[in-house]
């Protein structure tokens, strides 16, 4: 992707689809063949188990799918393009950001999946919905924006175009695969 561009190209779409597929495969590879003990092991009380990480990833995918579906249905807002121009690299850098994140209450794992197969299937189902949307949409992802309220250093995440939102899910997945 050309950082700072204002139009979403077929190459951008294919890159996102490839990255969504690649990071899904990372999750599948890292969780294949785990014993029940490995699946539920916690390094410390403050750290999530692999089961909790995969559950969180699935919840995040669901949220992003709903968000992207709603935002894409709204009219384009090209006036925000200058605000996010050049942010793609910063979004991708989130994958290796050493600062610990804090999942909102609705994205925190609740122990829904004791069976690894069910958890991974739920994550993959949500990821496939998201990937299919990216693959088939006619929306220019550089003209539709998502908004959050952040302060301080995290203010850079307050406005993202939909391409950057999808880069966020790629980086988010890589971040958690590193934990696994």
């Amino acid at each position: 992707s050309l950082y700072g561009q204002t139009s979403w190209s077929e190459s951008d779409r294919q890159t996102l689809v490839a990255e969504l597929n690649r990071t899904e495969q990372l999750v599948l590879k890292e969780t294949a063949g785990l014993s029940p003990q490995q699946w539920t092991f916690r390094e410390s009380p403050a750290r999530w188990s692999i089961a909790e990480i995969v559950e969180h990833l699935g919840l995040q995918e669901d949220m992003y799918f709903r968000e992207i579906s709603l935002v894409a249905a709204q009219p384009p807002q090209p006036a925000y393009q200058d605000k996010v121009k050049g942010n793609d690299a910063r979004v991708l850098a989130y994958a290796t950001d050493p600062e610990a994140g804090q999942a909102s209450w609705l994205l925190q794992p609740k122990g829904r999946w004791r069976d690894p197969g069910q958890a991974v299937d739920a994550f993959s189902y949500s990821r496939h919905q998201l990937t299919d949307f990216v693959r088939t949409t006619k929306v220019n992802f550089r003209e539709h924006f998502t908004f959050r309220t952040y302060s301080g250093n995290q203010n850079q995440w307050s406005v993202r175009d939909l391409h950057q939102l999808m880069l966020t899910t790629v980086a988010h997945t890589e971040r958690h695969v590193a934990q696994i």
Side-chain angles (χ1 to χ4, degrees), residues 1-176:
S1 172
L2 297 172
Y3 300 120
Q5 69 190 52
T6 58
S7 184
W8 199 55
S9 69
E10 186 58 31
S11 175
D12 292 328
R13 176 196 315 274
Q14 294 308 318
T15 297
L16 283 181
V17 167
E19 287 299 298
L20 289 167
N21 288 332
R22 180 186 68 79
T23 53
E24 178 189 8
Q25 290 305 309
L26 288 175
V27 172
L28 298 178
K29 178 181 175 221
E30 292 299 318
T31 58
L34 294 175
S35 70
Q37 294 79 17
Q38 291 171 312
W39 183 248
T40 58
F41 174 77
R42 293 179 116 197
E43 187 177 306
S44 74
R47 306 274 305 200
W48 288 346
S49 67
I50 294 171
E52 291 168 319
I53 290 169
V54 174
E55 179 182 355
H56 167 72
L57 287 171
L59 293 169
Q60 186 76 54
E61 297 292 309
D62 284 343
M63 186 190 86
Y64 281 149
F65 177 71
R66 288 182 182 116
E67 183 175 14
I68 198 169
S69 299
L70 291 170
V71 172
Q74 302 303 311
Q77 296 180 303
Y80 287 98
Q81 286 176 322
D82 286 342
K83 184 151 181 72
V84 302
K85 198 176 275 189
N87 283 350
D88 291 16
R90 283 194 285 191
V91 169
L92 289 171
Y94 174 65
T96 57
D97 186 341
E99 187 175 329
Q102 178 61 44
S104 69
W105 67 270
L106 65 108
L107 299 175
Q108 291 180 8
K110 304 289 186 234
R112 292 167 181 91
W113 310 114
R114 291 287 177 208
D115 177 81
Q118 290 177 335
V120 172
D121 286 349
F123 162 75
S124 286
Y125 177 81
S126 297
R127 175 57 67 94
H128 291 171
Q129 283 189 299
L130 195 57
T131 305
D132 287 344
F133 185 90
V134 172
R135 183 182 293 111
T136 61
T137 189
K138 303 295 183 216
V139 171
N140 180 342
F141 275 22
R142 296 293 186 180
E143 292 184 343
H144 291 265
F145 298 85
T146 183
F147 303 91
R148 306 276 196 287
T149 302
Y150 296 114
S151 60
N153 289 340
Q154 292 189 337
N155 192 46
Q156 68 181 336
W157 311 113
S158 293
V159 180
R160 284 173 277 181
D161 64 30
L162 291 185
H163 185 84
Q164 292 164 350
L165 184 66
M166 291 301 90
L167 291 177
T168 302
T169 198
V170 167
H172 180 251
T173 304
E174 288 177 330
R175 184 177 179 89
H176 284 297

